[in-house]
């Protein structure tokens, strides 16, 4: 290159504005002061949440050993520093969950908060609900509170519908990664939902603490990293960022209100709890001088508050201070529907009610009509007219439903439309004029045309010449109108010229549960646009086992209909709305029977699962009625089914096995289930082993053989491969995400299966097994946990190092706690729970349960307590206190 050329290139390069290079994650490892300086910038690049993602991604990368085997992330100084850097970024953000939730996925935020629990020295292996927050160091207690706030907020956020993103061509290779992340998210959500009651209890306990709270800052995290906690500075009452009790209580009340409101759809009393928490939130907001550490949406709070008042009837229609929302809801509860219509007519002038509220009221009445209250049809069309007039006032497109009404109106309806428009005459001229003209141009029945053209409103709004021109146009048009009897058009005969109509139809598609109406709307949508409408709502999910079969249906309309009917049916089952689930599944079965034997069998399996869950739900609610013989036969038929190339969901087998165990069909499970099904479905294998063990109790020799097989399977479930042992410092997260499990099931799925079982003997057998396993891995010969049938289990473990001690401890606690929810007066279970509390030094809780056990076995101490109930350990409990 010549000197002149080099100078020219240099000049061009120097003339371009220089873009600062993005700071790489590893630079923060090399320079300890770089992070704080970076975060102080006005627009740091990478942003704080991007840094958290980068730090945790690098810290959790698996390594490869010399044999080229993938190993879990090493617990070394580099990775510990990266995790600490992620925590410091979150501390800089003042642990604002709003910002963290917006920028981080559920798996990443779960990893971050579990790391916070570890560095805050939250006791590993102890459920948060068993911790006494008042006795913990301030930053430790705050870590527990932050985690459980996030847990219930995540449950609430996951229930909101999301629009699915459509991947472009460049994103297709990322689909497997997205699917993996979705599976991780689903697993985490499953555990969070199982622990929701515990999280609520933890936060309710936090509301009882009246002292200020302290959360980790960059400085306290630095002290932890430098091992400066030895002087107690990080555990003192003044370490960290101070958050006043009122600020924290305000935030916790808001979060608890959200979870209770979300639970209200299945438990009406939850709305009352939500209302009380939102009331406390509002009161604390007005009381606080500063809300620096309170992050909530006040508009959403106002919406929650109004909704709770309406749902709990906490308002008086005669109260002048009532909001319009409460007045409308009071009228609805009083069944004063005429007053509701009049209020809507007046509101067209005042416009004090938002359009979305008015539409929600109409939807509520339409739902009641769908449920069989046909007397409300007139209320529905009148509210629809009122809303259409309001839409015209706001310049919005008239709704599809209103257009449908105009296709075949009655004289009564036309009179009502004119009445509504008349109320606007004094305050708004242009809209009644346009509405009258539109009405005239829309109506096809001559008699109704002249009803409008001769109405007082028409006469007042138009000058004489304008009236004559319009009437003449109507006369000419009337000669071309076919006045012969015309059938009422179906829903999908509505004109679909405006794109807005697609959105309105999609909204109805999301809300509807009536199969025929769902089909009608899909027919209309497919007439408007060719696209997959099963993607309209991301909450519509069918099991992965069926997705390929359904998406393989060639006809797009049929594909959408099968997918949506199944997804809606599964959702109804999840909220225990079994009646609608039956309707949806029956329609889907009828549809697929016409073209797919494979999908027909799939639907028969899902309908079997529906009936099993419906019967088990009744049993859990106290029903003693045995299942009908037809249902038991269908369950047996499923377990014996040998259809090749048929997608089977493990959950169907799981619940069928639990069903058979609960109704003591042990002979069937041990003798008649096909070996191929036992090999392919871990739940069926577990059920067979449990049934065999229970069947042979208390025979010692025979029972020990089958018990040993069950023991081996459970030990494997609670074990991890050697490279997955706990870190040398003993840290463990509350939701432990192991890379792999040596057992036939992951422990979380095993616990979910156990919680489907109600049969006392099966639960007693499992408790006995876990108590024996717990005592072996604890190796404590002084303090024993007792249970029935302990002698049938092995007394040693050949590979004790592989057993996850924390997993065993948590499982035995969860198992006994669950059993006591079914029967709080089971003496054996009470003693086992008390012993568990005793060996973990929770003496007050232990003594309380020992007393309960004594009361149960002595008829409230009117008889002597047996010596095996009050052993020497009970005396030590009192001295331990």
């Amino acid at each position: 290159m010549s000197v002149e050329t080099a100078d020219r290139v240099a000049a061009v390069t120097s003339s371009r504005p220089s873009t600062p290079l993005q700071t790489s994650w590893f630079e923060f490892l090399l320079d300890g002061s770089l992070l704080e300086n970076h975060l102080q910038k006005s627009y740091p690049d990478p942003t704080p949440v991007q840094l958290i993602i980068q730090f945790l991604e690098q810290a959790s990368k698996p390594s490869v050993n010399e044999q080229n085997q993938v190993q879990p992330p090493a617990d070394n100084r580099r990775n510990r520093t990266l995790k600490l850097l992620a925590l410091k970024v979150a501390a800089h953000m003042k642990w604002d969950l709003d910002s963290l939730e917006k920028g981080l996925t559920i798996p990443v935020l779960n990893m971050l908060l579990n790391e916070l629990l570890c560095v805050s020295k939250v006791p590993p292996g102890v459920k948060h609900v068993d911790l006494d927050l008042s006795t913990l160091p301030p930053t430790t207690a705050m870590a527990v509170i932050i985690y459980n706030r996030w847990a219930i907020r995540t449950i609430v956020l996951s229930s909101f519908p999301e629009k699915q993103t459509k991947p472009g061509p460049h994103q297709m290779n990322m689909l497997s990664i997205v699917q993996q992340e979705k599976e991780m998210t689903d697993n985490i959500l499953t555990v969070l939902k199982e622990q929701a009651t515990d999280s609520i209890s933890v936060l309710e306990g936090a509301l009882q603490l009246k002292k200020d709270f302290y959360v980790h800052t960059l400085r306290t995290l630095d002290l932890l990293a430098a091992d400066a906690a030895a002087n107690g500075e990080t555990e003192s009452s003044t370490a960290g960022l101070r958050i006043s009790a009122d600020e924290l209580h305000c935030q916790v009340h808001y979060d608890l209100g959200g979870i209770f409101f979300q639970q209200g759809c299945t438990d009406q009393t939850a709305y009352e709890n939500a209302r009380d928490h939102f009331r406390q939130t509002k009161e604390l907001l007005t009381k606080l001088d500063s809300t620096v550490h309170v992050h909530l949406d006040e508009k959403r709070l106002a919406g929650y508050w109004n909704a709770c008042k309406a749902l709990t009837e906490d308002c008086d229609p005669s109260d002048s201070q009532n909001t319009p929302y409460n007045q409308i809801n009071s009228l609805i509860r009083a069944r004063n529907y005429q007053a509701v219509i009049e209020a809507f007519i007046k509101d067209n002038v005042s416009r004090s009610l938002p359009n979305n509220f008015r539409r929600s009221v109409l939807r509520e009445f339409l739902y009641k009509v769908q449920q069989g209250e046909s007397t409300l049809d007139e209320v529905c069309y009148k509210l629809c007219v009122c809303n259409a007039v309001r839409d015209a006032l706001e310049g919005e497109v008239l709704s599809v439903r209103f257009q449908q009404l105009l296709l075949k109106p009655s004289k009564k309806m036309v009179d009502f439309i004119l009445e509504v428009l008349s109320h606007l005459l004094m305050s708004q001229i242009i809209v009644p004029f346009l509405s009258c003209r539109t009405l005239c141009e829309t109506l096809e029945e001559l008699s109704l045309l002249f009803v409008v053209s001769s109405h007082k409103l028409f006469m007042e709004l138009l000058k004489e010449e304008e009236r004559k021109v319009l009437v003449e146009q109507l006369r000419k048009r009337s000669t071309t109108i076919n006045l012969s009897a015309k059938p009422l058009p179906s829903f999908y005969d509505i004109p679909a010229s405006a794109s807005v109509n697609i959105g309105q139809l999609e909204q109805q598609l999301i809300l509807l549960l009536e199969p025929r109406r769902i089909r009608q709307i899909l027919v209309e949508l497919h007439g408007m646009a060719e696209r997959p409408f099963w993607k309209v709502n991301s909450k519509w999910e069918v099991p992965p086992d069926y997705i390929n079969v359904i998406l393989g249906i060639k006809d797009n309309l049929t594909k959408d209909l099968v997918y949506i009917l199944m997804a809606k049916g599964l959702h109804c089952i999840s909220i225990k709305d079994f009646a609608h689930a039956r309707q949806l599944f029956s329609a889907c079965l009828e549809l697929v029977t016409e073209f797919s034997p494979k999908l027909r069998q799939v639907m028969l399996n899902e309908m079997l699962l529906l009936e099993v869950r419906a019967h088990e739900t009744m049993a859990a609610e106290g029903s003693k009625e045995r299942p009908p013989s037809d249902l038991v036969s269908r369950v047996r038929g499923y377990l014996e089914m040998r259809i090749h190339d048929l997608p089977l969901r493990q959950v169907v087998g799981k619940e069928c096995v639990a069903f058979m165990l609960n109704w003591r069909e042990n002979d069937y499970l041990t003798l008649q289930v096909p070996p191929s099904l036992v090999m392919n479905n871990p739940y069926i294998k577990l059920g067979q082993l449990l049934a065999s063990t229970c069947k042979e109790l208390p025979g010692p020799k025979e029972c020990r053989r089958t018990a040993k097989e069950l023991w081996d399977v459970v030990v494997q479930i609670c074990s991890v491969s050697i490279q997955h042992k706990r870190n040398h410092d003993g840290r463990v997260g509350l939701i432990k995400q192991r890379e792999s499990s040596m057992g036939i099931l992951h422990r979380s799925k095993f616990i979910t299966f156990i919680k489907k079982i109600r049969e006392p003997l099966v639960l007693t057998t499992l408790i006995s097994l876990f108590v024996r396993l717990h005592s072996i891995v604890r190796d404590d010969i002084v303090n024993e946990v007792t249970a029935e049938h302990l002698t049938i289990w092995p007394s040693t473990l050949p590979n004790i190092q592989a057993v996850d001690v924390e997993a065993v401890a948590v499982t035995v606690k969860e198992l006994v706690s669950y059993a006591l929810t079914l029967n709080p007066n089971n003496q054996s279970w009470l003693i086992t729970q008390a012993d568990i509390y005793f060996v973990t030094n929770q003496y007050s809780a232990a003594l309380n349960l020992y007393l309960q056990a004594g009361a149960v076995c002595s008829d409230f101490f009117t008889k002597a307590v047996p010596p095996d109930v009050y052993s020497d350990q009970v005396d030590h409990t009192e001295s331990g206190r």
Side-chain angles (χ1 to χ4, degrees), residues 24-49:
S24 296
W25 61 269
F26 62 82
E27 295 180 57
F28 296 97
L29 286 173
L30 303 175
D31 184 353
S33 62
L34 180 59
L35 180 64
E36 198 161 352
N37 293 333
H38 178 82
L39 294 173
Q40 296 302 327
K41 295 177 182 177
S42 301
Y43 300 101
D45 185 21
T47 63
V49 290

Side-chain angles (χ1 to χ4, degrees), residues 74 332 356 394 419 436 451 583 681-682 740:
I332 293 173
N356 55 2
E394 303 285 352
E419 177 191 343
C436 276
V451 167
Q583 292 177 16
N681 193 317
S740 66

Side-chain angles (χ1 to χ4, degrees), residues 646-676:
L646 179 70
L648 296 174
R649 281 212 292 160
Q650 283 192 349
V651 68
V652 183
K654 173 180 76 173
E655 304 223 8
C656 284
V657 169
F659 175 85
M660 299 295 269
L661 288 171
N662 286 336
W663 296 103
R664 301 182 183 180
E665 296 283 342
N666 293 338
D667 286 341
Y668 177 81
L669 285 173
T670 54
L671 300 175
Q672 293 175 258
V673 178
S676 59

